Amino acid sequence: MGRYGESLAARHLTEAGMTILERNWRPGRTGEIDIVAQDGDALVICEVKTRRAGAFQHPMAAVTPGKAARLRGLAERWLQEHGGAPPGGLRIDVVGVLLPARGAPVVEHVRGVQ
């Protein structure tokens, strides 16, 4: 289910004009960045959360302040390993994918999560 959601998110980001640079980047055992993308001159670290409709919580609710802090740390590590921040800086986005029992998946994209 997670890989399917990530594929839908990558397609959504591409259709929004972003370029996917990397998927499922792992700097070791410290975590994973689901999608690294470029949006103009900005680097975007994107967390993807996928849930089935009727699940305990909405996909976006799964990104807690602790998770956001871990994402910022992973983003800094990515920048260190890939030559630093681009001119447009760094942004952290969240894509929530909701899979209903019937019908098309719903993809929500929130830009600039703190």
Side-chain angles (χ1 to χ4, degrees):
M1 183 171 71
R3 293 262 185 235
Y4 177 63
E6 287 176 11
S7 292
L8 290 174
R11 183 171 22 160
H12 175 83
L13 296 173
T14 300
E15 289 172 356
M18 295 186 193
T19 302
I20 305 301
L21 303 175
E22 200 159 351
R23 289 179 61 178
N24 304 113
W25 182 77
R26 295 174 191 261
R29 298 181 191 194
T30 60
E32 175 186 81
I33 297 174
D34 294 329
I35 297 174
V36 180
Q38 185 174 348
D39 186 12
D41 62 352
L43 182 73
V44 179
I45 301 300
C46 190
E47 177 71 7
V48 180
K49 292 295 181 186
T50 306
R51 299 287 185 270
R52 293 193 186 283
F56 177 68
Q57 61 179 237
H58 190 276
M60 301 301 224
V63 181
T64 64
K67 178 66 175 179
R70 283 189 297 280
L71 285 171
R72 283 191 295 279
L74 287 166
E76 288 300 321
R77 182 113 181 242
W78 197 92
L79 289 173
Q80 289 171 357
E81 292 187 17
H82 292 85
L90 173 72
R91 186 176 81 220
I92 297 176
D93 292 2
V94 177
V95 175
V97 179
L98 189 61
L99 304 173
R102 296 181 144 181
V106 177
V107 179
E108 294 181 52
H109 178 194
V110 177
R111 297 169 185 256
V113 178
Q114 297 298 321

